[in-house]
Amino acid sequence: MHCFACQSAINPDDSWCPKCGAAVRQRVDPDSERRFVTILRADVVDSTGLVAELEPEDAVSRLEPALAAMRASVRQFGGIVSKELGDGLAAVFGAPIADDNHAPLACHAAIELVRRVASLGDPALQVRVGLHSGHVVAYMVANEFSKVYEIGGPAQHLAARLEQIAEANQIYVSEACQSLADGHVRFEHLGSKSLRGFGQPLQVYRILGASDLSSWRVRRARSVSRFVDRTTEQALLDRSAGQSRAGRQTVLLLGDAGIGKSRLAHEFAQKLKAEGWRLIDAECSPNLQGAPFSTLKRILSSAMDAAARDPGNPREDLPALQQSALDAVLDVPFSNPQWDELEPPARGRVISEASCAVIQNVASRQPTILLLEDLHWIDRASDAVVAAVASLGVPGLLVLLTTRPNGMPVWIARCNAEIVAMRPLDGDSGLEMLFDMLGPSEANADLKSRIISHTANVPLFIEEVCRGLKDSGTLRGEWGDLALVRPIDELGIPTSIQGVIAARLDRTSRQQRLVLQVAAALGPRSSEAVVRNVSQLPEDIFQDCLASLDRAELLARIDSDLENSLEFKHEMVRQVTYESMVEKARESIHARVLAAFEGDQSWRDDPDSLCYHAIRAKDWAKAFAYGRSAAQKCLARSAYADAVDYFRTAMNSLDKTPLTRPRETDAIDLRMEARMAFIWSGRVAEWVDLGKEADQRASQIDDVGRRVAAMTVMAGGQNFYGMPAEAVILGEEVVGLAEQSGNPGWRNLAQYNLGQAYFIAGRYREAEQTFARARANLMGAEASAPYGTPPKYTLLLCCMMKSLTHTVMGELDTAEQLQRQAASIAAETGRPYDRVAAAYSGGWLRLGQRDPAAAAAILEDGLVLAQKHGIRLFVPVLACHLGMAYLEQGLFDRARRMLTEAREEARAVGYTSAVLRSSIYLALATNKLGDVEAAQNMLREARNTARQQGFSGLEAEALFGEAVVTPPSSPEVRSIVLAALRAAIAITSESGARPLREKAEAMLNGMRAGGDQPG
């Protein structure tokens, strides 16, 4: 433990720091949580210059008026002063109790702060303010004398930097704060500014003043959706409107923020207005909760405006005392000694009587709807008057109120109000809303379903999620015609509604919050038994919590035949619950979940879940073990991309455990085991890197056997990623080392890799001999292969590559026998990878047998299988040879498309030889389609690349292709063609590629005999 002031080490039991004497501050961890808030930082400009020459007492007195004004302004708008800084303060809005209006409240507090300091009449006292909205860690700090609510995190530093660059009596805000308060406050954009400590310039805004728009008008201006559904609620309102003609009716629309109360209320009010009703509308403001009669003032102003066209004033017949009461509320100057003599309670009664008289007078002249929104924000003085108005027995008056569940007034039952509980939209209405915003395109069907599930059909949430996707560029176009331009991993939670959800969570008890947190850690749906086990609450309390959370529409019980499950009403509640936990709390819950799973036999066969919770519990040893098990499970079901992810998880987790020799041997073995997942999914560069990392680790612990294994993996990757000459040198070295090490498994794999290196280099005779040795070893009584690769699998690859080699050399009968053996192994194992490998060599063999139709059929099946299972390493070579089969059948356009795809996929994978071979045969298809010059250029480039990099076999194919596509139009060109054919013959004679040599010789002999056309 360290002192907060001097950072000296102190004992946990100390009350004072032994070095500097500061009181020890202790964190109260249970109260620590993540919050999305708005932070206000303010200070007095040039405070040092103001007090530098003063005595301490005088210095305090000089600055105290400004500090008092700052504190009062923050508290007026519901903020918490988290720290005083001598010449300023830091405050937070939206914590410890969440408030979805934290940004507008903070902006209004800042405006009031500047106004109050300016009103002190001291020109030397000037302030500057910075505001930023962001995530913080909020917690209580306790010392011997008090508790202080503090916040931590980068967000508070950004607010401080904005305050530091602000001019005197100005308020600078971040883009995050501006986007949340826009409409409630007027801003001026100042452009991007560099702030100390932040790498990139940030957008900065200056507050110009408060807006005169109502909250409804702000929301309405921002909305991009139309009103949908609410048939049931509208029917209830229609009935109440009809009944109000016989007597006053009061209706309360009850629902959480975003559910659509205001939208329904205003749509209905406008409908009545169109039918001849008079509308009096007002709203309660969170900014004015502390201002007496602020709501009533709005009601009376609206009533006066609504009756302005009527003959006579609705207040003319009132007694003088009641008229004075109205003037007092409306801030109209008046003089009435009788009013001055009244005590405050008596004044309140007169104000209530006068207000009721005005509303009664208005309603008696014309059917009237009084719409009052957001009753949960009403000021205390207005609340009593509104209660009286709602209880009036006046025919033709419909009082329509809206409120959140936590703001339902105690008097609502006394006025016999009908309470309409607002529910989310039904599924069809939610889709209708999305249809209007996103458009009719079927391409967005999956996205619409995800949004419905994510938001549980809450209208505001639907709209804000769509807006967030559009603002981020994920959706492009205009509203009503939007297109998804990139995949979406998570829909996320727009900052505009984080506070809405957090405010709902704040209404839960500590025990209910614990149940939510455990369920959130488990995912969108969880087992009731597991949540009960992990939360460790007594059964009766646990059941009470579930019932309360179900009523609050946060977490619902889903009964099934197998077990009771718990499900979040929508994903955003789960995400906000989870994100509100500090890291330490998350780790604790995940550790308890992990222990619960490990103690339950049914979860032991689910390494995916065990790995997930081990990672989040930061139990790295278990994360390694379960990640490895999950990867092995994925390999068994041919889910190669998932296996890669889990192997990475296992490797990263293991590296976070203490460095020991056993850890390093595990790290090397893990990389060797992971190689297959990386190979099969076509991650060639990462495959090579696995070998390099393993080689470095093996060298550091002087483990020769594991170094041989690592070099074998590197050699295999080099065949695809590097130059053939380098691959051959490395392969020969590794085979020698493997033979010396006495490990037959790695020796056999090293021989296979070397044979592949010879093949890619165009040294087919040496390739055939090397494959033969490896195959003989793998077919022997003591066949062996590295762990993670049973001998039969490696044998199949040897048969595949040996069949390819004999096909290239024209030894088709031998190639056929090897292909049968490969196909037999693939049929026996049934693994997609083996079936794809057998299809590759089978297609190549049929091409060698001059049966392109049969080759195409085999290769098409193999390509589909490879793409389905993510066996990406084979995709470019299968596509290439399928294009060659189409070319042989005269399907030139189809061949060009397939060969183009093959080349692009080979480039993406990093498969150099496949890029070259695809380019060569793409050139031949291009030539057949009439673009001779393009074909010649492609072949020339491929030939030069093959020669420079050492692909002699492909160089011969490119030379022969050049001869085919080049018309001998002149003696000079004829000489070039003859030279290309002679070069191809020389290379194939040395390599053993007899069929290609025979083609080149036949063409050469034809030209010597006087033929003008080589092909």
Side-chain angles (χ1 to χ4, degrees):
M1 187 171 175
H2 293 82
C3 173
F4 81 96
C6 68
Q7 297 301 307
S8 300
I10 52 178
N11 295 321
D13 296 332
D14 287 345
S15 298
W16 308 91
C17 174
K19 184 172 182 180
C20 70
V24 172
R25 296 184 176 184
Q26 297 177 338
R27 286 272 301 275
V28 184
D29 284 333
D31 293 329
S32 299
E33 56 186 343
R34 285 168 55 91
R35 289 279 187 174
F36 187 73
V37 300
T38 298
I39 302 164
L40 180 150
R41 290 290 296 260
D43 76 347
V44 175
V45 178
D46 192 25
S47 59
T48 303
L50 290 175
V51 301
E53 304 298 327
L54 300 179
E55 292 296 320
E57 295 85 353
D58 295 333
V60 170
S61 299
R62 184 79 175 87
L63 297 178
E64 179 55 28
L67 292 172
M70 293 180 191
R71 288 190 291 267
S73 301
V74 167
R75 290 165 184 160
Q76 177 182 337
F77 291 91
I80 299 291
V81 176
S82 61
K83 188 177 296 183
E84 293 205 12
L85 309 168
D87 63 347
L89 55 76
V92 59
F93 294 78
I97 302 300
D99 191 321
D100 49 304
N101 283 280
H102 55 84
L105 287 170
C107 290
H108 283 285
I111 294 169
E112 178 65 11
L113 187 154
V114 173
R115 188 196 67 77
R116 287 196 183 207
V117 173
S119 69
L120 293 174
D122 186 344
L125 285 178
Q126 296 182 313
V127 292
R128 55 190 176 192
V129 186
L131 295 172
H132 172 58
S133 300
H135 283 99
V136 299
V137 174
Y139 50 89
M140 297 298 296
V141 174
N143 57 32
E144 275 195 321
F145 307 108
S146 65
K147 289 183 178 181
V148 180
Y149 191 74
E150 290 198 356
I151 55 175
Q156 64 172 334
H157 298 294
L158 178 51
R161 296 292 178 266
L162 289 167
E163 173 246 298
Q164 289 165 4
I165 67 168
E167 299 172 4
N169 295 328
Q170 298 295 323
I171 306 162
Y172 282 14
V173 305
S174 67
E175 187 172 25
C177 179
Q178 182 271 340
S179 65
L180 291 173
D182 194 27
H184 300 276
V185 179
R186 293 178 290 110
F187 295 95
E188 177 189 7
H189 186 208
L190 301 180
S192 61
K193 293 185 178 293
S194 298
L195 304 179
R196 183 165 57 87
F198 293 85
Q200 298 295 325
L202 300 175
Q203 301 299 315
V204 177
Y205 295 78
R206 174 167 54 199
I207 290 181
L208 298 178
S211 168
D212 58 357
L213 293 178
S214 67
S215 297
W216 161 249
R217 289 174 63 191
V218 171
R219 294 194 297 270
R220 190 69 188 90
R222 181 178 172 83
S223 177
V224 293
S225 62
R226 67 179 177 86
F227 182 65
V228 297
D229 191 34
R230 301 304 186 193
T231 305
T232 302
E233 291 90 341
Q234 289 193 82
L236 290 172
L237 292 174
D238 283 333
R239 187 187 66 188
S240 296
Q243 293 174 346
S244 70
R245 295 184 182 276
R248 180 268 317 151
Q249 291 289 311
T250 298
V251 180
L252 176 71
L253 298 180
L254 179 70
D256 285 304
I259 205 70
K261 302 183 298 297
S262 293
R263 189 68 176 268
L264 172 59
H266 279 274
E267 293 285 343
F268 183 71
Q270 291 302 316
K271 172 187 170 185
L272 291 187
K273 189 175 180 181
E275 294 174 0
W277 287 59
R278 193 192 308 272
L279 172 61
I280 300 173
D281 64 326
E283 65 174 18
C284 308
S285 170
N287 305 333
L288 300 173
Q289 278 183 280
F293 296 115
S294 58
T295 298
L296 181 58
K297 180 179 179 179
R298 296 185 178 197
I299 294 173
L300 293 174
S301 296
S302 179
M304 300 296 184
D305 291 342
R309 295 182 181 179
D310 291 347
N313 189 308
R315 56 178 284 176
E316 283 181 351
D317 297 332
L318 298 181
L321 189 59
Q322 290 187 4
Q323 292 196 33
S324 296
L326 296 177
D327 289 338
V329 172
L330 297 171
D331 297 325
V332 176
F334 68 95
S335 175
N336 188 332
Q338 186 181 1
W339 173 262
D340 296 338
E341 293 174 359
L342 291 179
E343 295 293 329
R347 289 184 178 183
R349 286 193 296 272
V350 176
I351 289 173
S352 180
E353 293 167 358
S355 301
C356 289
V358 169
I359 300 300
Q360 186 170 355
N361 190 339
V362 171
S364 66
R365 303 180 184 187
Q366 184 178 349
T368 299
I369 176 172
L370 169 58
L371 170 58
L372 179 59
E373 291 187 77
D374 299 329
L375 207 56
H376 46 277
W377 285 323
I378 193 169
D379 63 275
R380 185 179 302 178
S382 298
D383 185 59
V385 181
V386 171
V389 171
S391 301
L392 282 173
V394 181
L397 175 63
L398 174 63
V399 179
L400 182 56
L401 310 168
T402 73
T403 187
R404 297 179 186 178
N406 62 318
M408 190 162 65
V410 295
W411 47 260
I412 200 70
R414 296 199 305 269
C415 63
N416 299 318
E418 179 164 5
I419 299 175
V420 179
M422 298 283 291
R423 309 285 297 176
L425 300 171
D426 59 41
D428 291 342
S429 299
L431 288 173
E432 184 181 350
M433 188 174 173
L434 285 169
F435 182 94
D436 284 344
M437 288 190 290
L438 303 186
S441 172
E442 284 299 318
N444 290 332
D446 180 62
L447 174 61
K448 292 174 183 176
S449 297
R450 288 182 62 187
I451 292 174
I452 291 295
S453 175
H454 188 64
T455 61
N457 273 320
V458 176
L460 175 66
F461 297 176
I462 292 174
E463 186 166 314
E464 290 302 308
V465 166
C466 293
R467 184 185 300 280
L469 294 174
K470 186 174 185 292
D471 290 346
S472 68
T474 304
L475 285 170
R476 289 185 184 170
E478 300 299 325
W479 290 113
D481 185 21
L482 290 169
L484 190 65
V485 296
R486 59 172 177 261
I488 302 173
D489 294 326
E490 288 189 357
L491 291 172
I493 308 170
T495 57
S496 55
I497 57 178
Q498 286 192 9
V500 173
I501 298 173
R504 291 184 63 189
L505 297 178
D506 276 351
R507 299 201 294 269
T508 61
S509 68
R510 183 181 293 273
Q511 292 164 331
Q512 292 166 5
R513 180 69 70 91
L514 173 61
V515 172
L516 281 174
Q517 289 172 341
V518 173
L522 286 164
R525 178 174 287 194
S526 53
S527 162
E528 181 178 326
V530 174
V531 175
R532 179 192 299 109
N533 183 354
V534 175
S535 61
Q536 299 176 349
L537 293 172
E539 180 63 17
D540 57 337
I541 295 177
F542 177 72
Q543 292 300 332
D544 286 345
C545 288
L546 290 186
S548 297
L549 294 172
D550 196 359
R551 286 194 300 270
E553 298 189 338
L554 296 173
L555 190 68
R557 182 186 276 115
I558 309 296
D559 295 326
S560 68
D561 295 335
L562 299 177
E563 63 175 1
N564 289 335
S565 298
L566 301 174
E567 187 175 67
F568 281 89
K569 283 293 187 177
H570 52 82
E571 176 63 11
M572 286 191 286
V573 170
R574 188 191 74 83
Q575 288 186 24
V576 172
T577 301
Y578 189 78
E579 291 174 4
S580 69
M581 291 188 283
V582 293
E583 193 67 27
K584 186 175 180 181
R586 292 183 197 173
E587 291 172 23
S588 174
I589 287 178
H590 282 293
R592 284 150 57 189
V593 170
L594 180 62
F597 283 3
E598 290 175 328
D600 186 337
Q601 182 62 44
S602 63
W603 287 99
R604 292 179 186 173
D605 296 329
D606 186 5
D608 309 57
S609 296
L610 293 168
C611 177
Y612 171 84
H613 292 290
I615 290 170
R616 279 149 186 79
K618 295 187 178 178
D619 189 332
W620 303 119
K622 289 183 178 179
F624 154 64
Y626 292 130
R628 188 179 205 171
S629 296
Q632 293 166 344
K633 184 177 176 182
C634 291
L635 280 179
R637 64 173 190 265
S638 301
Y640 305 121
D642 292 338
V644 166
D645 292 338
Y646 277 116
F647 273 124
R648 283 177 176 149
T649 293
M651 287 186 280
N652 292 334
S653 299
L654 183 60
D655 285 347
K656 292 176 181 177
T657 62
L659 177 60
T660 62
R661 183 180 179 86
R663 187 200 84 167
E664 287 303 282
T665 58
D666 281 342
I668 297 166
D669 293 346
L670 182 62
R671 281 160 175 77
M672 298 301 95
E673 186 179 358
R675 74 189 189 280
M676 302 311 299
F678 284 86
I679 292 169
W680 296 339
S681 56
R683 292 167 168 84
V684 177
E686 295 167 85
W687 168 14
V688 174
D689 289 340
L690 286 178
K692 290 179 180 177
E693 291 172 13
D695 183 43
Q696 291 171 357
R697 290 174 186 253
S699 298
Q700 289 170 356
I701 62 174
D702 195 25
D703 190 324
V704 176
R706 286 184 169 83
R707 185 150 189 245
V708 168
M711 293 181 69
T712 303
V713 171
M714 277 195 293
Q718 197 74 23
N719 290 338
F720 298 89
Y721 199 59
M723 295 186 181
E726 297 172 354
V728 167
I729 293 171
L730 179 59
E732 291 173 341
E733 179 186 358
V734 172
V735 167
L737 290 172
E739 289 173 344
Q740 293 174 18
S741 72
N743 186 319
W746 287 110
R747 179 206 62 202
N748 293 340
L749 182 59
Q751 287 176 336
Y752 167 77
N753 288 340
L754 177 58
Q756 194 175 48
Y758 284 142
F759 181 89
I760 292 171
R763 296 162 64 173
Y764 301 121
R765 292 190 179 92
E766 292 164 285
E768 186 279 322
Q769 295 166 6
T770 306
F771 287 132
R773 289 194 295 272
R775 177 170 173 265
N777 290 331
L778 289 162
M779 291 180 66
E782 298 182 357
S784 179
Y787 48 81
T789 316
K792 191 172 292 184
Y793 298 166
T794 308
L795 174 60
L796 182 148
L797 294 177
C798 277
C799 292
M800 175 195 75
M801 286 303 303
K802 198 167 189 298
S803 176
L804 297 181
T805 306
H806 284 289
T807 300
V808 172
M809 296 172 69
E811 299 165 354
L812 299 181
D813 290 342
T814 305
E816 180 77 53
Q817 294 173 5
L818 291 162
Q819 172 57 25
R820 287 175 185 164
Q821 185 177 7
S824 175
I825 295 172
E828 179 185 346
T829 66
R831 289 196 320 166
Y833 184 86
D834 298 345
R835 291 162 58 197
V836 167
Y840 176 45
S841 55
W844 195 317
L845 175 62
R846 295 295 175 264
L847 280 173
Q849 293 170 338
R850 302 294 180 88
D851 189 351
I858 294 171
L859 292 165
E860 283 170 350
D861 289 344
L863 182 59
V864 169
L865 194 62
Q867 291 172 330
K868 177 181 177 181
H869 291 279
I871 308 172
R872 199 176 177 196
L873 187 67
F874 271 102
V875 169
V877 291
L878 286 164
C880 174
H881 285 78
L882 180 56
M884 292 164 61
Y886 292 151
L887 183 62
E888 291 293 321
Q889 294 177 81
L891 305 172
F892 304 131
D893 192 57
R894 186 185 296 183
R896 180 172 63 179
R897 290 197 302 271
M898 184 57 63
L899 288 162
T900 299
E901 291 177 15
R903 184 173 65 175
E904 294 309 309
E905 183 67 14
R907 285 172 175 167
V909 170
Y911 200 156
T912 311
S913 63
V915 173
L916 288 173
R917 178 166 278 114
S918 299
S919 299
I920 291 167
Y921 291 92
L922 176 59
L924 296 178
T926 302
N927 177 66
K928 289 294 186 181
L929 291 168
D931 195 341
V932 177
E933 185 178 354
Q936 291 173 331
N937 290 335
M938 276 191 280
L939 283 163
R940 192 177 301 115
E941 182 181 352
R943 180 244 302 162
N944 290 334
T945 302
R947 181 177 297 166
Q948 291 166 4
Q949 297 187 0
F951 294 93
S952 63
L954 291 171
E955 181 186 354
E957 292 183 50
L959 286 165
F960 180 72
E962 282 190 271
V964 169
V965 304
T966 306
S969 54
S970 67
E972 293 80 6
V973 174
R974 182 183 178 85
S975 298
I976 292 172
V977 173
L978 291 172
L981 290 171
R982 291 190 189 98
I985 292 168
I987 293 172
T988 53
S989 297
E990 183 179 351
S991 69
R994 181 165 53 86
L996 181 58
R997 187 196 71 204
E998 290 173 351
K999 287 182 183 179
E1001 288 175 342
M1003 185 178 297
L1004 180 64
N1005 291 335
M1007 292 187 68
R1008 283 174 174 170
D1012 291 333
Q1013 298 299 326

